[in-house]
Amino acid sequence: MNSWEIDLSGKATLVTGGSRGLGKAIALAMAEKGAKVAICGRKQENLDMAEKEFKEKGFDVLAQVAHVGKPEQLESLFQAIDQSFGRLDILVNNVGTNIFTRSVSEADEKLWDKLIETNLKSVFLASGQAAKRMKKQGSGKIVNISTIAARKAAPGMGIYSVAKAGVEMLTKVLAAELAPDHINVNAVAPGMVKTQFSKPFWSNESMLQEITRTIPMGRIAETEDVVGAVLFLSSSLSDFITGDIITVDGGFMA
Ligand SMILES: NC(=O)c1ccc[n+]([C@@H]2O[C@H](COP(=O)([O-])OP(=O)(O)OC[C@H]3O[C@@H](n4cnc5c(N)ncnc54)[C@H](OP(=O)(O)O)[C@@H]3O)[C@@H](O)[C@H]2O)c1
């Protein structure tokens, strides 16, 4: 019987890039809802700081260094999850990075490969690892973090946008493929969120004013604005929703 509440008690969860920004906010919210949480990132010092915050709030966290574009590092992360949790109920593919690309047609091949690896291949790799485990369980939730830039070209975001458009289609393909195994695959596409990633934009007062003028709700998102959509898609409240993308942008794309 559904209690109409988001309850993630005992759910084994991995939030990639959970050491800061949006990923950390999602990971902490999952823990507050009762989940057993694992996070990863490239830098140990970021993971240490996140782990300290989890401990201060009374939560355990499995924090392991892993670059999500590197299959061998992901493999050892999933093995650590197997050992600690013995299952995986929720995967949040949160990692995403952009490197300003003036022109895609003239972009360096190495930059293309790097951005596709971190933003798109990573979702393919981690979802494959998760799906193997979720199929055995006969249940699971995968939530991918996209962006409105996946559907609207924006200056400097060319390769990132292409990769995230790939993430949105991968979401649909995996949703159709994994539905018979009772695995839901959905995405959340935020507009600008106040994190380190977007600091060059929101830390400049005149640029921030220009951006907020284009958002009907008149402000950029805080991480908390995005967390709710991720929690919903990770919970039993969304059991019959798959292959969908929730836009969290204060009406920008409306
Ligand atoms: N902020 C925005 O305005 C915005 C808007 C739309 C969508 N998004 C999406 O939201 C997601 C989270 O973004 P954010 O703003 O929270 O970014 P962020 O503040 O830069 O945080 C990124 C997190 O991912 C980790 N990370 C980066 N590259 C990694 C890699 N290759 N392997 C493993 N971990 C890695 C970082 O830790 P380390 O540095 O230690 O690796 C950090 O924990 C991304 O998918 C982004 O595309 C953000």
Side-chain angles (χ1 to χ4, degrees), residues 24-99:
K24 190 179 73 182
I26 294 168
L28 278 167
M30 297 271 188
E32 276 170 38
K33 288 288 171 192
K36 294 185 274 189
V37 179
I39 57 173
C40 74
R42 292 162 305 173
K43 297 182 199 111
Q44 185 67 53
E45 63 266 29
N46 291 337
L47 288 166
D48 289 345
M49 277 192 288
E51 193 169 3
K52 190 164 168 272
E53 198 174 332
F54 268 76
K55 291 259 147 59
E56 281 165 3
K57 293 189 166 148
F59 304 122
D60 283 329
V61 65
L62 169 63
Q64 182 163 317
V65 168
H67 183 308
V68 288
K70 309 287 179 210
E72 60 297 340
Q73 294 187 27
L74 265 184
E75 177 86 46
S76 74
L77 171 64
F78 276 85
Q79 278 169 6
I81 289 170
D82 290 342
Q83 273 166 17
S84 295
F85 302 156
R87 59 185 290 118
L88 184 68
D89 299 292
I90 302 163
L91 166 66
V92 182
N93 282 308
N94 163 75
V95 168
T97 74
N98 185 31
I99 295 165

Side-chain angles (χ1 to χ4, degrees), residues 91-94 123 127 140-146 167-176 178 183-189 229-230 232-235 237-246:
L91 166 66
V92 182
N93 282 308
N94 163 75
V123 179
S127 301
K141 304 265 186 184
I142 299 176
V143 183
N144 299 324
I145 305 301
S146 181
V167 169
E168 296 203 352
M169 182 44 79
L170 184 56
T171 300
K172 290 170 192 279
V173 169
L174 289 176
L178 298 173
I183 300 167
N184 304 63
V185 188
N186 292 290
V188 173
V230 179
F232 168 66
L233 291 174
S234 303
S235 77
L237 295 183
S238 58
D239 276 351
F240 203 56
I241 299 175
T242 199
D244 203 13
I245 296 150
I246 299 182

Side-chain angles (χ1 to χ4, degrees), residues 16-24 26 40-47 65-70 73 93-98 117-119 122 144-149 157 160 164 188-199 201-202 220-221 223 226:
T16 69
S19 59
R20 55 185 167 83
L22 180 56
K24 190 179 73 182
I26 294 168
C40 74
R42 292 162 305 173
K43 297 182 199 111
Q44 185 67 53
E45 63 266 29
N46 291 337
L47 288 166
V65 168
H67 183 308
V68 288
K70 309 287 179 210
Q73 294 187 27
N93 282 308
N94 163 75
V95 168
T97 74
N98 185 31
E117 179 188 72
T118 305
N119 290 301
S122 62
N144 299 324
I145 305 301
S146 181
T147 163
I148 54 168
M157 296 199 170
Y160 171 74
K164 289 288 195 177
V188 173
M192 188 172 293
V193 189
K194 201 168 182 188
T195 67
Q196 193 67 29
F197 177 95
S198 53
K199 196 170 177 189
F201 299 99
W202 55 257
I220 64 168
T223 53
V226 185

